[in-house]
Amino acid sequence: MSRRTRIFLGMTIILMLAAAGFITRYDPSQAKYEIFREYRGQFDAVKSETLLLMDSLDERSNIGNTFIYSNNGNAAAPQLHESMNTGLQDKIRQLASWSRDSLDFVRYSRQDGKPLLRFIFDWEREHGPTYHIVYCTSQSMVEQTYAAEPVKYKLNSLADGWYGIEIE
């Protein structure tokens, strides 16, 4: 074998090993949370404004699920909570646009005085499995909330107080 052939064969083997390493380490479940990584500031802004809005509306310790945003699919125009100001509405609409309209719901609840804000994507599984991006100061409360639902899920930590939930 000539020197040139050995070099070419060596480079080919190195490229194949690198590709195999990339493929085995690639986690497609993390790709769906790219919207959070890219637009984290927008998620934080929606969270802050929603917490202020909900605190001003109700002083009780626990609030059941309140729909802040609902994209009713093709049947009707998206619904926004009646008490939202236009700034918060625009922020949520922008997130929906950036998600290519896979943001279906934004829900708020409070349990034991702790807020739980859920951004629910791909509810009807048109683009893959349903997933949620969730804000809560207590991971155990997030786990409790999803354990009570009749679904299997996988919890991923995204940032301080932010979680990704894959619904199987």
Side-chain angles (χ1 to χ4, degrees):
M1 228 189 286
S2 73
R3 181 179 175 162
R4 186 178 298 189
T5 304
R6 281 188 237 154
I7 291 172
F8 180 71
L9 184 60
M11 288 175 35
T12 302
I13 291 172
I14 290 171
L15 284 173
M16 288 177 62
L17 289 172
F22 175 75
I23 290 169
T24 58
R25 288 190 194 131
Y26 177 71
D27 184 0
S29 67
Q30 293 300 318
K32 64 179 56 90
Y33 303 123
E34 196 59 38
I35 187 170
F36 176 77
R37 286 181 198 76
E38 196 168 333
Y39 302 109
R40 167 120 189 242
Q42 191 82 342
F43 279 92
D44 282 330
V46 169
K47 172 199 71 165
S48 297
E49 289 189 40
T50 300
L51 296 179
L52 285 172
L53 170 68
M54 297 312 291
D55 285 345
S56 72
L57 293 178
D58 199 324
E59 295 298 324
R60 294 178 296 165
S61 174
N62 295 320
I63 298 175
N65 284 320
T66 300
F67 282 90
I68 302 299
Y69 169 82
S70 177
N71 181 3
N72 295 314
N74 296 330
Q79 303 282 318
L80 293 151
H81 192 278
E82 62 204 27
S83 299
M84 289 172 49
N85 64 39
T86 56
L88 181 53
Q89 290 177 15
D90 291 344
K91 287 176 178 75
I92 291 174
R93 284 187 185 117
Q94 188 65 55
L95 282 174
S97 173
W98 287 331
S99 74
R100 295 185 177 93
D101 291 323
S102 68
L103 176 62
D104 291 311
F105 304 106
V106 177
R107 294 181 357 192
Y108 174 87
S109 62
R110 188 166 52 211
Q111 299 167 8
D112 298 327
K114 295 178 182 158
L116 178 71
L117 183 61
R118 298 190 242 187
F119 298 82
I120 301 165
F121 295 84
D122 236 350
W123 178 254
E124 294 182 4
R125 299 176 179 247
E126 291 178 9
H127 308 287
T130 299
Y131 65 99
H132 302 186
I133 295 176
V134 177
Y135 172 78
C136 185
T137 57
S138 168
Q139 181 175 338
S140 64
M141 190 172 98
V142 173
E143 291 168 348
Q144 233 178 352
T145 300
Y146 282 91
E149 300 207 9
V151 295
K152 286 184 165 185
Y153 72 94
K154 179 181 173 187
L155 179 105
N156 299 290
S157 182
L158 300 177
D160 189 35
W162 288 98
Y163 304 93
I165 307 287
E166 289 179 69
I167 305 298
E168 297 177 2

